[in-house]
Amino acid sequence: MAGRVPDEKVFDAVLAVIAQQGYERATTRAIADAAGINEATLFRRFTSKENLLRQAVRGNFKGFALDLGSPGDDVEADLVTIVSYYARLYETRGGVVLTLMREAKFSPEVAAVLAEPEKLLERVDEVILHHQRRGALVVEPPRHTFFALVGPLMMRSLARRVDRRATQAPADPVAVVRRFLDGHRPVGA
Amino acid sequence: MAGRVPDEKVFDAVLAVIAQQGYERATTRAIADAAGINEATLFRRFTSKENLLRQAVRGNFKGFALDLGSPGDDVEADLVTIVSYYARLYETRGGVVLTLMREAKFSPEVAAVLAEPEKLLERVDEVILHHQRRGALVVEPPRHTFFALVGPLMMRSLARRVDRRATQAPADPVAVVRRFLDGHRPVGA
DNA sequence: CTCAAATGCAAGTGGGCACTTGCACAAGTG
DNA sequence: CACTTGTGCAAGTGCCCACTTGCATTTGAG
């Protein structure tokens, strides 16, 4: 029997508190208040804070599947698919993602939560390798290419949280990719 | 009279602990141990943890002065100066910098610490604006240009801490700038 | 050598937080 | 209606951490 406040609502509250307070400052009391639930109930239902956060974060990534079909002849199209995904991810969930990346260094559990996104990255690698072999991209370690491509997006998300002067406008994936391609075509192509 | 362990050594210990444990997890005890100093002495000399961290971080950035003369006719040269600086910064102090950026959102004190690097950024803005006016760069918000330029560097530093597959090799500033310029020259130029 | 100032050491204080517990109440189930 | 199960509430426990304090010891300057 789920309680009166459904788990999903509690998870939403968790993410809201994380985004606002940061991961380590997200207290169970604040989460309980945000969820409109008693703190004791939180522990009765979710056992521990750690377990609660893990469930909340995992659920948060579920809606963010990227369907990477097999890569085709069109570099630009394939990269736009990738960039669009990450742009959306960082714009809506950037705070949580970056918090997790930082936390992953210290916490094995958080690192485990990132294992799933990591699998996605491996498929992105394949797409990049495919186009490198086709001669459409400079040959270099695919993760290197990936970060050159997606790095500015992440930085904008991060900067938005630090620097008020940073651009608030969402990135245009097509423009990002075109610009990237101008600098990453092989010499002879 | 400075104590036997000079302040600088203590600051180094602070930064080491921050980079390894994160800002909030950096306990005064850990710092004291790392510095080979007594915890009580830490407070007698530096008053509070907050003050200690501030001094440490500030001192950390001091050695990293970037001498940005007035910008000239050579976009590539000017950008290479900037990129070299940030490449060096992220490669040697990347852990601390990114930790601070993350934490700045929640902690006014950390944000205050970042105010100084912020001034540097303003001068970088000027350089970028100068070259935009000269027609050597796409016209866009300078911070946008900055993150497109430096973003991949920061990402590599961050990724190195999360992802074992990430490139370990230092970035080549000239190559980074050339690639960037290929994608950021104005249409007619 | 002398003395004041800084340090090491060990114990303690107070506050915040994760987590617990006992009890009264509410709600769904048969 | 009786009964089980989950919840709110309030108090409490134990831990960790920033910060303090009293005292013996060290250290460096004159």
Side-chain angles (χ1 to χ4, degrees):
Chain A
M1 315 263 155
R4 229 182 20 216
V5 175
D7 288 5
E8 279 192 4
K9 293 289 176 191
V10 178
F11 295 157
D12 286 348
V14 170
L15 295 171
V17 174
I18 288 183
Q20 193 189 354
Q21 306 284 337
Y23 195 94
E24 314 222 338
R25 295 195 179 195
T27 69
T28 51
R29 179 161 313 175
I31 292 170
D33 288 349
I37 209 179
N38 194 273
E39 194 182 352
T41 305
L42 220 52
F43 286 95
R44 283 191 276 244
R45 278 169 62 176
F46 302 101
T47 313
S48 71
K49 179 188 178 185
E50 179 199 321
N51 182 46
L52 169 62
L53 296 199
R54 174 156 44 202
Q55 286 189 50
V57 171
R58 192 161 293 170
N60 182 44
F61 279 108
K62 280 233 169 91
F64 266 91
L66 165 59
D67 194 17
L68 266 183
S70 42
D73 293 348
D74 190 348
V75 209
E76 189 177 311
D78 285 344
L79 293 189
V80 165
T81 303
I82 294 171
V83 166
S84 299
Y85 170 80
Y86 282 100
R88 194 164 51 100
L89 179 64
Y90 292 129
E91 265 152 32
T92 63
R93 313 282 219 255
V96 175
V97 172
L98 290 163
T99 298
L100 292 178
M101 286 189 75
R102 188 180 78 85
E103 212 79 19
K105 193 177 149 201
F106 312 119
S107 156
E109 295 99 30
V110 177
V113 169
L114 288 181
E116 207 152 342
E118 175 64 23
K119 281 180 197 160
L120 176 58
L121 261 184
E122 288 176 17
R123 269 177 293 150
V124 170
D125 282 349
E126 289 170 21
V127 174
I128 291 172
L129 277 170
H130 167 81
H131 288 293
Q132 285 182 359
R133 291 201 196 95
R134 281 182 59 244
L137 283 178
V138 176
V139 173
E140 65 187 347
R143 286 296 157 92
H144 198 148
T145 304
F146 174 74
F147 283 120
L149 179 61
V150 172
L153 295 178
M154 298 185 73
M155 287 316 305
R156 283 176 70 170
S157 165
L158 184 56
R160 221 176 317 211
R161 282 151 232 285
V162 176
D163 175 14
R164 293 170 197 157
R165 208 165 321 195
T167 336
Q168 298 293 332
D172 172 15
V174 175
V176 169
V177 169
R178 287 202 175 138
R179 228 162 235 185
F180 172 83
L181 283 176
D182 283 340
H184 285 258
R185 280 189 230 279
V187 186
Chain B
M1 320 262 150
R4 227 181 26 216
V5 174
D7 288 5
E8 282 192 3
K9 293 289 177 191
V10 179
F11 295 158
D12 286 348
V14 171
L15 295 171
V17 174
I18 288 183
Q20 194 188 355
Q21 306 285 333
Y23 194 92
E24 313 224 341
R25 294 194 185 195
T27 68
T28 51
R29 179 162 312 176
I31 293 169
D33 289 349
I37 210 180
N38 193 274
E39 195 183 352
T41 304
L42 220 51
F43 285 94
R44 283 192 275 245
R45 278 170 62 176
F46 301 100
T47 313
S48 70
K49 178 188 178 184
E50 179 199 324
N51 182 45
L52 170 62
L53 296 198
R54 176 155 43 203
Q55 285 190 50
V57 172
R58 192 162 293 171
N60 180 45
F61 281 107
K62 279 236 172 88
F64 267 91
L66 166 60
D67 195 16
L68 267 182
S70 43
D73 293 347
D74 191 347
V75 209
E76 188 177 312
D78 285 345
L79 294 188
V80 165
T81 303
I82 294 171
V83 167
S84 299
Y85 170 81
Y86 282 100
R88 195 164 52 100
L89 179 64
Y90 291 129
E91 263 150 33
T92 64
R93 313 281 219 252
V96 176
V97 172
L98 289 163
T99 298
L100 291 180
M101 287 190 72
R102 185 82 254 301
E103 224 105 9
K105 188 182 156 201
F106 314 116
S107 157
E109 297 102 32
V110 178
V113 166
L114 287 181
E116 207 152 342
E118 175 64 21
K119 282 180 197 161
L120 176 59
L121 262 183
E122 288 175 16
R123 270 178 291 150
V124 170
D125 282 350
E126 289 169 20
V127 174
I128 290 172
L129 277 171
H130 167 82
H131 288 293
Q132 284 183 359
R133 291 201 196 97
R134 282 184 57 246
L137 282 177
V138 175
V139 174
E140 63 186 348
R143 286 296 157 93
H144 199 149
T145 304
F146 173 75
F147 283 119
L149 180 60
V150 173
L153 296 177
M154 299 184 75
M155 286 318 304
R156 280 174 73 171
S157 165
L158 183 56
R160 222 177 314 211
R161 280 150 233 285
V162 176
D163 176 14
R164 292 171 198 156
R165 208 164 320 192
T167 337
Q168 299 294 331
D172 172 15
V174 176
V176 168
V177 169
R178 289 203 175 137
R179 231 164 232 183
F180 171 83
L181 283 176
D182 282 340
H184 286 258
R185 280 188 229 281
V187 186

